[in-house]
Amino acid sequence: MSKNRKVRIGATAAPTSPDKSDHDLYREVIDDCLLIDELGFDSAWFVEHAFSDYLPHPSPLITMSHIAALAPELGLATAVLVLPWHNPLRVAGEIAMVSALTRGPMMIGIGRGTAKSEYDHYNVDMRTARARMNESYKIIELALRGEPFTYAGEFYDHSRPVRLRPAVRPGSDIQFYGAIGSPGGAENVAELGLPLLCQSQFPDKLLTKISDSWASRAETLGTKTSAPNVIQVRTLIKDTDEEAFAVAKHLYPKGFEAQHAHYVPDANPWEGIDEYQSFERAFAGLEKLKDPANIMPFVESQAVGTPARVAKRLQEYIDLGFDYVVVHATFPDFPQQERRETYTRFAKEVAPMLTDNMRAR
C-alpha cells in the first residue's frame, strides 16, 4: 500500500486503565513497553502530565531510564517534555544519563504545555511559556554538545562557563522534535530548526496548514531537517469497523471528559494569555466530545476499525508528509487489554501494509 516503505512506527505507553492504583498503572506501562519492544516497534513514547487523573506521568525521563534497562534496543521518546516547567540544565543532564543507559535512539519531543493548572502548581507564569521553552531548548542544545558554554537570556544566566556531566554517550542518536497545535507554533518550531510532532486530534486541513507553515518557514531560514515528521494517531483495531466504532464510542468520551477536566478546570483558564487564545476555541469544540452522541465524526476520522481501514487512514497521514507514525492507543479509561490488542494486531496485520522498518526480533 505505502510507496514509502521506510516509514517508522512507534507506540505510546501511558497509565490509562480504569480503577487501578497508581502502582498498578505504572506496572502496566512497563509491561506495555516490553510488549512494544517484543512486537518490533521502533520506539515507546511517553507523556508528561501531573496533578490530575489525565495520564498522570510527571517525569517521562525517569520511566525511560527504567525501560532502558529492560529493553535496551527500544527507542525511547517523549510526547512531550514541557520545558518551561524545568531547569534546562537538569533536563539536559537527565537526557545525557538516559543516553548512557540505552542503546536505542532517543526522540525528545518538546513543548510548552497547555494546562494552566500545571503552570500554577509549578509556580511558572504561563504568559512566558513560549519564550521559556525556546530559551530552555537553546540551553539544552548547548549543554548536550559536551563543551563548556555560557549563556545570557531572559530567564537563565550562565555567565560562568558550565559543562554537562555526564556527557552524552558517544554514538547516541538523539533527535529533538517540536510539538505544535497551530500554524504559528509551526513557524516557531521551524525557527528552532526542529522537525514536527503533531497529533491526529487535529483535522487534516489544519495538519496540512501546520505542515505547510513549517516547511515554508524552514525553507526561508535554511533550517529544514532530514529527520522524519512525527504524528501520533489514535488507533483501535477490531475484526469489523462496527465493533471498533462501538468500543471507541464507549471509551473515547471518557477520555475526553478526563482531558477536559485537566485542561479546563475553570471557565476560560487562558484569559489574558495572548498566545493561548486559540486553545480556548479548540477546547470548546473538544468539550462536545464528552457526549457519546457527538463522538462518531471524530471516531471515523481516526485510525479506528479493521486492519485494512487503519492502514488506509494511516497512509493518508503519510501522504500528508508524516513519515513517522506513533500508534496512540492510550486515553484515560482505556483498559490494558484494548491497548495490547491494538499493539499486537497493528504489528502483525497493519505494519506489513505500510513499512519494512519494523525491528526484527
Side-chain angles (χ1 to χ4, degrees):
M1 175 182 288
S2 178
K3 296 177 183 178
N4 177 11
R5 299 292 299 178
K6 296 183 179 180
V7 172
R8 293 164 65 186
I9 309 288
T12 304
T16 72
S17 293
D19 304 318
K20 294 287 184 76
S21 70
D22 288 346
H23 174 267
D24 288 339
L25 286 175
Y26 280 88
R27 296 307 308 178
E28 286 191 357
V29 169
I30 294 168
D31 291 342
D32 286 353
C33 287
L34 294 178
L35 177 63
I36 289 166
D37 179 52
E38 178 185 331
L39 291 169
F41 284 90
D42 185 73
S43 56
W45 292 69
F46 304 97
V47 302
E48 178 178 2
H49 294 296
F51 313 119
S52 81
D53 294 331
Y54 183 63
L55 311 179
H57 191 249
S59 184
L61 290 165
I62 287 180
T63 303
M64 288 163 64
S65 68
H66 186 84
I67 300 303
L70 302 175
E73 307 295 338
L74 179 65
L76 302 170
T78 62
V80 298
L81 282 182
V82 185
L83 294 188
W85 301 341
H86 308 292
N87 183 289
L89 280 183
R90 177 80 185 198
V91 172
E94 291 180 355
I95 290 171
M97 288 178 68
V98 175
S99 81
L101 300 173
T102 184
R103 294 194 294 270
M106 294 175 66
M107 288 138 286
I108 308 298
I110 62 171
R112 55 191 172 120
T114 309
K116 176 68 161 52
S117 60
E118 290 172 299
Y119 271 88
D120 291 345
H121 291 315
Y122 283 126
N123 292 310
V124 177
D125 185 351
M126 197 175 193
R127 293 171 297 183
T128 66
R130 180 169 287 167
R132 283 182 180 273
M133 184 192 78
N134 291 351
E135 188 167 310
S136 293
Y137 172 67
K138 292 172 184 175
I139 292 171
I140 292 167
E141 184 183 34
L142 287 169
L144 292 177
R145 294 175 184 176
E147 300 296 332
F149 72 93
T150 60
Y151 185 89
E154 181 180 357
F155 306 103
Y156 299 99
D157 183 5
H158 298 292
S159 54
R160 181 178 178 180
V162 57
R163 181 167 69 94
L164 188 68
R165 291 293 306 276
V168 171
R169 176 179 59 83
S172 292
D173 180 4
I174 303 175
Q175 175 64 57
F176 284 84
Y177 288 85
I180 52 174
S182 68
E187 293 183 3
N188 184 67
V189 168
E191 289 165 6
L192 293 175
L194 299 178
L196 299 176
L197 170 57
C198 293
Q199 293 188 7
S200 66
Q201 196 157 298
F202 304 122
D204 286 14
K205 287 184 179 180
L206 179 57
L207 287 171
T208 299
K209 192 172 182 180
I210 286 170
S211 181
D212 289 347
S213 295
W214 170 82
S216 175
R217 187 63 175 154
E219 194 75 36
T220 298
L221 297 174
T223 59
K224 197 165 185 178
T225 170
S226 61
N229 286 330
V230 177
I231 187 163
Q232 290 182 291
V233 183
R234 296 204 181 279
T235 310
L236 194 157
I237 302 173
K238 294 291 182 182
D239 288 334
T240 67
D241 291 343
E242 292 73 20
E243 183 185 4
F245 291 166
V247 173
K249 185 176 181 179
H250 173 64
L251 292 176
Y252 278 12
K254 297 179 181 182
F256 280 112
E257 184 172 359
Q259 184 186 65
H260 195 267
H262 177 76
Y263 286 108
V264 195
D266 308 303
N268 195 8
W270 303 287
E271 185 175 6
I273 307 175
D274 291 342
E275 60 186 53
Y276 279 88
Q277 292 311 298
S278 63
F279 289 94
E280 179 184 353
R281 297 187 294 273
F283 277 93
L286 292 176
E287 183 177 12
K288 299 175 183 177
L289 301 182
K290 297 189 295 182
D291 185 346
N294 298 326
I295 196 69
M296 285 312 299
F298 175 80
V299 169
E300 292 172 358
S301 73
Q302 303 300 296
V304 174
T306 63
R309 186 181 190 277
V310 169
K312 181 176 182 295
R313 185 67 181 110
L314 293 178
Q315 184 61 53
E316 292 169 353
Y317 289 117
I318 294 167
D319 292 342
L320 287 177
F322 295 97
D323 36 12
Y324 198 126
V325 173
V326 180
V327 177
H328 197 18
T330 55
F331 211 24
D333 271 5
F334 247 64
Q336 188 181 36
Q337 66 187 39
E338 295 290 353
R339 302 194 303 270
R340 293 172 74 84
E341 179 182 354
T342 289
Y343 296 147
T344 302
R345 297 195 67 172
F346 188 98
K348 296 181 181 300
E349 300 174 59
V350 178
M353 299 187 224
L354 298 173
T355 184
D356 298 321
N357 259 0
M358 295 293 277
R359 292 183 302 124
R361 298 293 296 165

